[in-house]
Structures are given as C-alpha cells and as structure tokens.
Amino acid sequence: MSSSRTELGRDLARIAVFAALIVVLGTVTVPLPGGVPITAQTLGVMLAGTVLGPRRAPLAVLVVLVLSAIGLPVLAGGRGGLGVFAGPTAGYLLGWVVGSIVIGLIVRASRITWWRTAVGTVVGGILIVYAFGIPVQALVLGVDLVPTALSSLAFLPGDLLKAAAATALTLALLRAYPPAFGRRPAGAVRARAA
C-alpha cells in the first residue's frame, strides 16, 4: 500500500512538473497574423509525451488546459479563460492532448531510441497537432482549409527545431536521470544508438 502511494505521489509530481514546464515555455512567444502565435509550449508537450508516456502526458496537458479554462493566463502570451477554447487556437489545444498520447505511444513502444523519439515528436507533436489545429483555425476564421494549411507552413521550421530539441533533451535526461521516466523495467530505460 505504501509503495503504491509513493508511486502515485511520484506520478503526480511528474505531471505537475511538466504542466509547469508547458506553462513556462508559453512565455516564449512570437505573435503572428491569424491569431496563432509561434510558441515554445509545443516543446513542453513533446517533452511530456516522451518522458511521461501516453498515460501521464495528457494529464499534464489537461492540467494546463483546466488552469486556462478557469481564467489563469497559462497559455502563450498570457492568455487564458474559456474564450481560448472558441478561438483559432482551440484545435491546437485539443491536438496537444491527442499528440502527447501519440508521442508517448510511439516513444514507449519499446526501448527509447533517438529515431523512435524523433518520429514520435514529429508525428505526435507536429502532424497530429496540425491535424486538429488547422481545420478548427479555418472554421473559426472563416477561411478555406487549403489557405489555412499553407499559412501554417510558416510554423513548420520552428516545430521541426522543437522536435529536434525534444529528442536531444529526452535522450540527455534518459542518460542523466532515468527515474524521470517513471515505472519501467531497468533494461527498458536505456538510450540506444539504434
């Protein structure tokens, strides 16, 4: 009983740390026309997915979204409140939740490797987030889907850099502090070059 309580406490602490990381990375923002800023928050979502895995990562993202919903300025540019869930970024926010799950599933499918981490961050952290964000942005702004998708290409270089940074940071953390990744068999938490 005590062991399960201790593990629950550790899980909650990990979730809280990554929720805080996502919020802090929201202070790094570049506003763009169209209502969707360039932000480092996606890096936090990617890291949550790689480190926390598919069960705990979406909880960290949901903590941030709940804090935003109650009015705290935890999103990029100090935004918060229910209005953000009806604005052009609403789909991207939902994409964070789904994307963090996809990242965790890909990265944690077997041993954590650089290529699996890179694929997970690109698929979950970019493709999934765009798949949810672009259609909602087009709908809210009343713009056709194709021009909205094309305008989103402005975010791609930065998002690819965030995916590369998330991959490097994940592997560095895995080498430096494997317990950050939670309950895993000892042999399964080794960074491999393959």
Side-chain angles (χ1 to χ4, degrees), residues 54 97-107 120 123-125 128:
V97 177
V98 178
S100 69
I101 295 169
V102 171
I103 293 167
L105 288 171
I106 293 172
V107 172
V123 171
I128 295 294

Side-chain angles (χ1 to χ4, degrees), residues 1-71:
M1 182 90 169
S2 176
S3 174
S4 65
R5 273 194 165 164
T6 301
E7 198 57 44
L8 175 63
R10 288 181 183 147
D11 284 347
L12 291 174
R14 287 183 195 103
I15 291 165
V17 164
F18 277 89
L21 179 66
I22 293 167
V23 170
V24 168
L25 288 173
T27 62
V28 180
T29 182
V30 177
L32 289 179
V36 180
I38 294 176
T39 174
Q41 280 187 309
T42 311
L43 173 60
V45 172
M46 291 176 183
L47 288 169
T50 62
V51 176
L52 297 180
R55 289 192 333 251
R56 293 182 301 248
L59 296 176
V61 175
L62 286 169
V63 166
V64 174
L65 298 182
V66 167
L67 292 174
S68 175
I70 62 174

Side-chain angles (χ1 to χ4, degrees), residues 4 6 15 30 34 61 94 96 98 105 113 118 132 137 140 143 148 159 184:
S4 65
T6 301
I15 291 165
V30 177
V61 175
L94 177 60
W96 286 359
V98 178
L105 288 171
T113 61
F132 280 85
Q137 181 182 1
V140 169
V143 179
T148 304
D159 285 338
R184 302 271 300 171

